[in-house]
Each structure stands twice: as C-alpha cells, then as structure tokens.
C-alpha cells in the first residue's frame, strides 16, 4: 500500500475527531456561552448540515481541479472552520463556524476515496479505502477521548485549536506524500459528474448506505441510556465503553476492506446481515455488564464491515465520473446519522424501553438488506439484456452500469 494513504488517514483522523468531539464538550460549551444543553446540541446538527450540503456542492464546483489540489484546499477549509470555532464569541458565530467545519468533510472522503483507489491495483481497491477510513475509526479510540480531555482541562476552545493543528499536519502530509501525477484533474466536467447520478444503481447504492448506517445510528445515538439504564453501568464508565465501539469499528473496517477485495457484494450482504443479528440481540445482551460491553464492540464491527464496500460500490456504479457520486455517499452517511437518530428517538419516546432504538435499528438494517437485494436484482437483469461483450464481463464478475461506465469498471459479485 502506498505511503500516500497515510496522508488521507491523517486528514480522516482530524475530521473524525472534530465531528464527534462536540458530543463530549456540549456541557462545557453550554456553560461558557450561557445556553442550554439542548440548544448547544444544535452545534452537532450544524456540522451535519454542512456535511450534507458541502459534499455534493464542493465536489461539483471542483470537478476541473486536480484531485490532489482539491484535497489540500478542502483540508485548508477544515482548518479555517475549526480555527473560527476556537475564537467564536457567541452561539450564532459558533453555529456558523461548525457549519463551515462540516463543509469539507464529505468531499474530502469522496475525493480521497477516488485518489486512494487510483494508487493501487484493482484487487486492493477496497483495502485502500478502508485504510483511509482507518483515520476516522481510530479517531473514536484516540482522538475524541484526548480532545475531550483537553477541552475539559484547558477549555473547549483549546480543543478546536488542537484539531486545527491536526488539519495543518494533514495539509503537509497531502502536499509531500501524494505525487502530483497520482491525482490528476478528472477528464469529465460537471455535466459528466451529474450524469452519473441519473443511474438507478447509483441511487440504490446510496439508499443502501442510508438504511444500513441509519440502523447503526438508531442504536448508537442512544447507547448511553442503554448502557446506564438497561445494563446498569455508571455514567463514568461510558467513555471507556465507547472506546470499545471504536475498537470494533476499526477491526470491522479493516476486515471489510480485505473481504470486499474478494467479494464486494458478498461482504456487503454479510455485514448487513450481521448488523441485523447484533441489533436484534441487543435487548438480551444489555442484561449483563459483560455482554453489554461485548455488544458495543460488535455493533461497531458489524456496521463498519460495510463501510468500504458501500463506498467502493457507489464509485464503481458511477465509474465514468466517481467524484460527485463518492462525495454524495458521504452525504448519505450523514443523512443516515440524522434519520437513524430520529427513528431511534421515536421508539424511545413511544415508551418501548431503553433498548427499543436497537430494535428499530434492526428493522432499518433489514431494509438495507432489501435495498441491496433490489440493487443486485437490477444488476442481474441489466446483465441479461446487455450486449455480448458486456455479458462476458458479467461472467468474469463485473456488471456494467451504463454504456459509458462499462469501459471503466464494474461491480464485483
């Protein structure tokens, strides 16, 4: 694997840290700004809104730029957003700064995935994506706890200055480790990128992301009350238990990347099926502290096994113009975050019990399996009606998505 993937992982580490650290700093921010914790919670939503808007928008407006230059520019915007967060004088300015911080998130992962897969052999594409995502999962083990501790000891503003420093380090790594010729400007313009989004298989892949990761966030958003109310843990133990989620996510991410290089769709189906099982068993696993702790790690592993397969599938479905579709998949991840949390909250508010969000998540994972199955059926039908050369590629394990994309890539069955 090329050393340049380290630069992408450093950027992912910074992004993962700033995305999740706000949850741990909400009380400190609320006290300092003189607002309630629910009001401070809007800072989390502002970041997510920035991701959803920024992912397709920034990918679209940078279609003619070298991808290497795009990555550096996105990380520079990340540094600006976090620096503005550190010096924000009030609630409104901090909301705006968090929105700016979220803008480069999706486009960085989207364009970064395209660059990562372009630097490796075809049989290592999924692993290259998983190594970039490694920065995100490791952030949950190291970055978020360290940044939270820094904020509690030195003030929350120091945390965002520290994250800005990570962004500066990522810029340096991108500039020195990614060769100029490894990330050239795309040959298609905005029109070509938009054309890729007209494909039904692309939308089915995005729908699988929304449903599959919506299942994760339906449960994970309410993991603290599950651990305290159902499993009986003290609140002081939750931070350590959440680190177990990061460990499981890291293991699942690496495992998913390796397995997906052998069978992309098989890994996706297997990951979603395991997510259904883990979430369905949550009410039982939460009855004892030992099994509850194990369930947190298993949840991270089952969910993140599907991370790199989903990203790679969207890219291959839009092979002629992958940057916009790849970035749109990151927006889909954040829609899953918001939608899953909302659905899990509905189950909790309805009085179905502390573990009911996990049951709702299991239902969403089943929906994800159904969407993935529909995508597989559409691919098979297209393979049957494809011209003879395309059918030969299908026999070899590649399904063309359109006449234009067929000459570039297919999807491993």
């Amino acid at each position: 694997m090329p050393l340049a993937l380290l630069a992408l992982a450093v950027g992912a580490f910074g992004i993962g840290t700033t995305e999740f650290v706000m949850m741990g700093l909400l009380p400190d921010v609320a006290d300092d700004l003189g607002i309630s914790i629910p009001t401070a919670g809007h800072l989390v939503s502002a970041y997510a809104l920035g991701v959803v808007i920024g992912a397709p928008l920034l990918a679209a407006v940078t279609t003619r730029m070298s991808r290497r230059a795009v990555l550096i520019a996105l990380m520079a915007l990340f540094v600006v957003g976090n620096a503005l967060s550190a010096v924000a004088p009030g609630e409104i300015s901090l909301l705006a700064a968090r929105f700016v911080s979220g803008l480069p998130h999706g486009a960085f992962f989207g364009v970064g995935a395209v660059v990562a897969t372009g630097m490796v052999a075809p049989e290592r594409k999924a692993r290259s994506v998983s190594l970039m995502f490694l920065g995100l999962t490791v952030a949950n083990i190291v970055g978020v706890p360290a940044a939270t501790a820094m904020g509690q000891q030195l003030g929350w503003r120091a945390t965002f200055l520290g994250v800005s420093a990570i962004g500066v380090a990522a810029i340096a790594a991108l500039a020195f480790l990614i060769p100029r010729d490894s990330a050239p400007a795309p040959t298609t313009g905005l029109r070509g990128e938009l054309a890729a989004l007209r494909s039904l298989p692309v939308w089915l892949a995005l729908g699988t992301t929304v449903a599959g990761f919506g299942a994760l966030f339906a449960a994970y958003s309410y993991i603290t009350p599950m651990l305290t109310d159902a499993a009986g843990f003290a609140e002081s133990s939750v931070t350590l238990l959440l680190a177990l989620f990061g460990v499981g996510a890291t293991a699942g991410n690496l495992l998913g990347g390796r397995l997906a290089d052998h069978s992309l769709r098989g890994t996706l189906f297997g990951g979603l099926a395991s997510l259904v099982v883990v979430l369905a068993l949550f009410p039982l696993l939460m009855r004892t502290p030992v099994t509850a702790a194990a369930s947190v790690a298993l949840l991270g592993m089952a969910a993140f096994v599907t991370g790199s397969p989903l990203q790679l599938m969207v890219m291959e479905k839009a092979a002629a113009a992958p940057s916009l579709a790849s970035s749109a998949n990151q927006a889909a991840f954040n829609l899953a975050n918001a939608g899953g949390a909302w659905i899990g909250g509905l189950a909790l508010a309805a009085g179905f019990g502390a573990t009911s969000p996990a049951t709702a998540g299991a239902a969403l994972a089943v929906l994800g399996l159904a969407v993935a199955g529909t995508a597989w059926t559409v691919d098979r039908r297209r393979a049957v009606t494809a011209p003879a050369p395309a059918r030969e590629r299908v026999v070899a394990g590649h399904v063309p998505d359109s006449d234009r994309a067929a000459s570039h890539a297919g999807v491993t069955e």
Side-chain angles (χ1 to χ4, degrees):
M1 287 292 172
L3 188 60
L5 292 176
L6 175 63
L8 297 173
V10 172
F13 179 82
I15 289 174
T17 300
T18 200
E19 179 180 17
F20 293 107
V21 75
M22 183 56 76
M23 286 76 158
L25 295 178
L26 282 183
D28 303 272
V29 174
D31 289 343
D32 186 53
L33 298 182
I35 57 179
S36 67
I37 289 182
T39 300
H42 295 159
L43 297 168
V44 178
S45 302
Y47 183 92
L49 182 62
V51 178
V52 172
I53 293 176
L57 178 63
L58 293 179
V61 300
T62 58
T63 52
R64 291 296 187 183
M65 293 175 59
S66 158
R67 291 184 176 121
R68 177 179 178 274
V70 170
L71 289 171
I72 293 173
L74 290 172
M75 194 50 57
L77 180 59
F78 170 84
V79 171
V80 170
N82 281 280
L84 289 174
S85 297
V87 299
E91 175 195 354
I92 301 302
S93 57
L94 184 54
L95 278 170
R98 288 296 289 170
F99 175 80
V100 172
S101 299
L103 286 174
H105 177 132
F108 182 87
F109 280 108
V111 176
V114 176
V115 173
T117 56
M119 292 190 293
V120 298
E123 66 273 13
R124 291 178 176 265
K125 284 186 175 183
R127 268 175 281 185
S128 71
V129 174
S130 72
L131 288 177
M132 179 185 68
F133 283 164
L134 187 63
L136 181 65
T137 58
V138 170
N140 283 281
I141 304 173
V142 179
V144 174
T148 302
M150 177 187 292
Q152 292 170 345
Q153 296 297 319
L154 303 177
W156 62 269
R157 297 179 188 276
T159 293
F160 292 109
L161 286 176
V163 172
S164 297
I166 297 174
V168 172
I171 291 174
L174 291 167
F176 285 105
L177 295 181
I178 297 184
R180 293 181 182 275
D181 57 356
S182 70
T187 56
T188 58
L190 178 58
R191 181 175 298 180
E193 294 279 349
L194 291 174
L197 294 182
R198 300 195 194 110
S199 167
L200 175 60
V202 169
W203 283 102
L204 288 173
L206 293 174
T208 305
T209 297
V210 172
F213 270 79
L216 165 65
F217 287 110
Y220 187 66
S221 300
Y222 305 96
I223 195 69
T224 297
M226 286 191 220
L227 291 170
T228 55
D229 298 344
F233 282 102
E235 288 188 7
S236 58
S237 304
V238 171
T239 300
L240 179 60
L241 292 167
L242 294 184
L244 287 178
F245 174 85
V247 172
T250 300
N253 172 56
L254 293 174
L255 178 64
R258 182 167 292 274
L259 293 177
D261 279 328
H262 295 285
S263 176
L264 181 62
R265 203 181 296 273
T267 303
L268 178 59
F269 280 125
L272 289 171
S274 63
L275 188 58
V276 172
V277 173
V278 170
L279 288 170
L281 290 176
F282 247 58
L284 294 175
L285 296 172
M286 283 290 163
R287 291 182 179 179
T288 69
V290 174
T291 56
S295 70
V296 175
L298 289 173
L299 176 63
M301 178 176 287
F304 277 85
V305 161
T306 65
S308 52
L310 282 169
Q311 188 71 33
L312 190 58
M313 182 169 288
V314 170
M315 291 165 57
E316 292 192 341
K317 291 296 183 182
S323 294
L324 182 57
S326 180
S327 299
N329 195 49
Q330 293 300 313
F333 278 120
N334 279 268
L335 287 175
N337 189 337
W342 177 68
I343 291 173
L346 290 179
L348 204 58
F352 293 132
T355 60
S356 60
T359 304
L364 284 173
V366 170
L367 177 61
L369 273 172
V371 177
T374 301
W376 179 79
T377 302
V378 168
D379 281 345
R380 300 308 297 175
R381 288 180 177 175
R382 289 191 172 204
V384 170
T385 58
R391 284 200 299 272
E392 292 174 6
R393 285 192 294 275
V394 172
V395 172
H398 298 281
V399 180
D401 294 319
S402 66
D403 291 339
R404 183 178 183 181
S407 63
H408 294 270
V411 177
T412 304
E413 290 294 340

